[in-house]
């Protein structure tokens, strides 16, 4: 019986990335759907349950993707709500790569280092950054997540990194952004909005961990700042588009020592993230009752780093 | 050479059900199309014919699906009209599962029972009910098909079963509905509109067969009525969503005796329907000149029950 | 690792022709996209590059299709623009079958005949005709390409052949058409607009090669004219829909001698075109840095005729 992955993508076109990686992870057929809205989910999910006997349902799974994580989370919730009794299939959410990317990065930090009690600062409130923040909290860190939109306004012409917080101009200064609202929902997280570079740097006082989750093509941390920082020990950068978020590192840095700090660059994360992504897809087909959200992906990442 | 099934679906998204069952029936690749309108069909069909030599055309077939049976029938007709000479492929229509469901149910009734000359009443004028009515007529029954919309108005909040006639309120009382018009086109069928429960029950006087094809989640026949009915011998229910259409039965009843009647419930039909559905798809690829409409599906069902 | 072909189609539905032929050419999975506009391309292409290691990228390729050749060319250009460094995949454009059809036809003419220095006339300025004209120029012919819209106005009710120039009425007489503008961009090509049949015939004085690329269902060259033509030696017809573009030939003519001329009919081209099409797709997966435009397809056709 073929392993079928139903790709529910909230974008105009289903992600080529998600389709290709699914095939490379051993899926036999990807059934791709695009322009998915919440109202579409119940029908598509329930029509899928009723085709195969209960013992065979583990050969069908649902993947939720697209560039908008909030929409993805709504689609995931609706798919879960469509289950009844044993009629269900395993699910995974990775809109914008958020779960696999954040989980892999924090699993790498944790691998050889105790995180408990350390101060961590996440710069940028995009989906990947917020997921990283939540995992750091869970590891016992004291975590500050800072909006850096005002800091970067003018620095970059726009364009968001995968999951990164978009840069923006003056127009958004008045009301708290959607990103800030999302951040404030994470229990235990200290959320700040840095008004300028000085405020941002002040937030990093005493921090041992910095996670750069800014927009694509925007340098967030100049080398002069981070290399001289008295307490920083580990720096993570999710931005793979030059210029990187952290000046003076290489995208391929994989816990590489530079200036006495350990650097985890976007490709250093990315290579392992691909393995985690594929491992999660393979595991989806082991039973029909799994939910691969950030927690479950983090467990898998922890076994693989 | 791969067996390719071109799925022409009239809905916004191509049915997951139809895609999955096609793979399980041995199709190598399902080429899914959604939002299909009649004007799309000729180009898609003819582009498909011209790719493979005449001897290989049996490895391509067209599946017509979606929730709207009338649209599906138009798509099927247009696909047939696009054929010329030997340039054609086999076709199957099963919008809303109408053909496989109705054919399987009536084939089950017929298996061990002479149907000729019996009075049958079909309650609900949806696509599945009308196809069942036509097959009963063909078997020599005297068939009445009754609209039960007014009977159910107020009983259910709405929502149609797979192929079931939608429940409705007062607004539709004045003009004959689309369903009634469809029913009146079936030669030999007596079509009625039950104004209330008493009228509906009167229509069932002397009936040996009752087929419940009402909307989802709506009880049509209370147990007190059918259990005490003096002539009813076989009862069929297409509604799989609780409450079932017939009170006091189980969805899985498969010609099960209850209160001295034989009961065929929705899952009792459904299990065999899945086998019929897959068998039809497999047969599509035996030659390039077959049309799997309700008649052809009924033949296959007859061999499988 | 599976061979994946990303089908970027500019039409409402992805071509069944292109999907089926891709499977028949050995592709493992076709990832179909429709309604593609230039703005969609970069994201889809780059998301595809980043899934597989550089050594494996040859197992992913992009196919550009759809009925509009100009849109296809823009999509191809945008896909190329999305490459950076070694991150690229092989590409092929064959919107409306233009490249494989024109390349196969001219390769067949060239096979046993010196083309250099001969006068050739292409009748109809559609995409296939203009590509044929460009290849004849490249072979050293003196090529005239003639709009025949005014000649055919009234002859046919409309409807364009695959890649053929649309017939049209008086409304278009005032301004040079898009087709004429496209033709004038081809360096060395003499472009004419025949006002009537006499003007068209005058343009063919001294020609040894005539290529009929008119609309579907429209006869362009009556037998009385071409059979008696003093210099014509080879005639090509791209119109497969009866009546053919050249009266008195058979669609299956494959350099068949009739009235002392060699005739290449639409199916005579088509059979070989299918082989060229499949061979090109197979070659796409030999490395990740190929562009199958008309030139590259012409090379492949030259090896296969």
């Amino acid at each position: 019986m073929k392993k079928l992955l139903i790709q529910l993508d909230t974008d105009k076109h289903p992600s080529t990335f998600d389709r290709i990686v699914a095939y490379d992870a051993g899926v036999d057929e990807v059934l791709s759907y695009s322009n998915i809205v919440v109202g579409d989910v119940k029908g598509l999910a329930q029509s899928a349950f009723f085709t195969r006997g209960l013992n065979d349902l583990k050969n069908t799974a649902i993947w939720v993707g697209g560039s908008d994580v909030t929409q993805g989370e709504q689609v995931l919730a609706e798919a879960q709500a469509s289950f009844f009794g044993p009629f269900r299939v395993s699910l995974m959410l990775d809109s914008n790569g958020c779960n696999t990317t954040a989980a892999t990065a924090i699993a790498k930090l944790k691998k050889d280092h105790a995180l408990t009690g350390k101060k961590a600062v996440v710069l940028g409130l995009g989906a990947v950054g917020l997921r990283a923040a939540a995992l750091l909290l869970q590891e016992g860190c004291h975590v500050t997540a800072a909006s850096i939109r005002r800091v970067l306004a003018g620095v970059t012409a726009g364009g968001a990194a995968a999951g990164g917080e978009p840069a923006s101009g003056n127009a958004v200064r008045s009301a708290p952004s959607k990103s800030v609202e999302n951040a404030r929902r994470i229990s235990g997280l200290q959320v700040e909005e840095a008004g300028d570079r000085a405020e941002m740097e002040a937030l990093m006082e005493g921090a041992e961990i910095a996670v750069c989750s800014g927009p694509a093509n925007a340098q967030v941390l100049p080398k002069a700042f981070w290399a001289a920082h008295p307490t920083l020990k580990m720096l993570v950068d999710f931005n793979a588009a030059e210029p990187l978020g952290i000046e003076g590192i290489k995208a391929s840095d994989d816990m590489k020592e530079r200036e006495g700090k350990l650097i985890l660059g976007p490709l250093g994360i990315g290579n392992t993230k691909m393995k985690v992504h594929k491992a999660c897809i393979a595991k989806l087909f082991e039973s029909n009752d799994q939910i691969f959200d950030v927690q479950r992906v983090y467990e898998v990442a922890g076994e693989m780093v």
Side-chain angles (χ1 to χ4, degrees), chain A residues 6-11 13-15 31-36 44:
Chain A
I6 299 170
Q7 178 190 19
L8 301 182
D9 196 304
T10 57
D11 288 351
H13 295 297
S15 160
L31 280 56
S32 295
Y33 291 84
S34 58
N35 286 314
I36 289 293
L44 291 171

Side-chain angles (χ1 to χ4, degrees), chain A residues 8 12 63 102 179 189 191 200 203 259 264 266 297-299 302:
Chain A
L8 301 182
K12 177 189 173 191
W63 171 272
S179 300
L189 182 63
V191 182
M200 180 180 84
L203 291 172
E259 311 292 330
L264 181 56
V297 174
Y298 186 52
E299 288 168 32

Side-chain angles (χ1 to χ4, degrees), chain A residues 122-130 145-149 163-165 179 211-215 220:
Chain A
V122 175
L123 302 167
L125 302 182
V128 179
L130 291 183
S147 169
I148 54 173
R149 295 213 278 185
E165 182 190 35
S179 300
V211 176
C212 240
S213 182
V220 176

Side-chain angles (χ1 to χ4, degrees), chain A residues 155 182 206 270:
Chain A
V155 170
N182 287 338

Side-chain angles (χ1 to χ4, degrees), chain A residues 15 38 52 55 59 168 177 184 202 206 226 249-250 262 274 282 298 305:
Chain A
S15 160
V38 168
R52 293 173 154 184
N55 291 334
N59 295 309
S168 69
S177 70
R184 290 200 173 129
W226 66 261
I249 70 164
K250 287 200 172 167
L262 292 174
M274 291 302 298
Y298 186 52
V305 293

Side-chain angles (χ1 to χ4, degrees), chain A residues 68-86:
Chain A
D68 188 314
V69 178
T70 304
Q71 286 179 12
E73 286 171 338
Q74 292 167 348
V75 167
L76 183 78
E78 182 71 7
Q80 289 181 266
S82 75
F83 296 159
F84 50 95

Side-chain angles (χ1 to χ4, degrees), chain A residues 60 78 105 129 188 190 210 249 260 295:
Chain A
T60 307
E78 182 71 7
Q190 185 175 342
I249 70 164
Q295 287 303 329

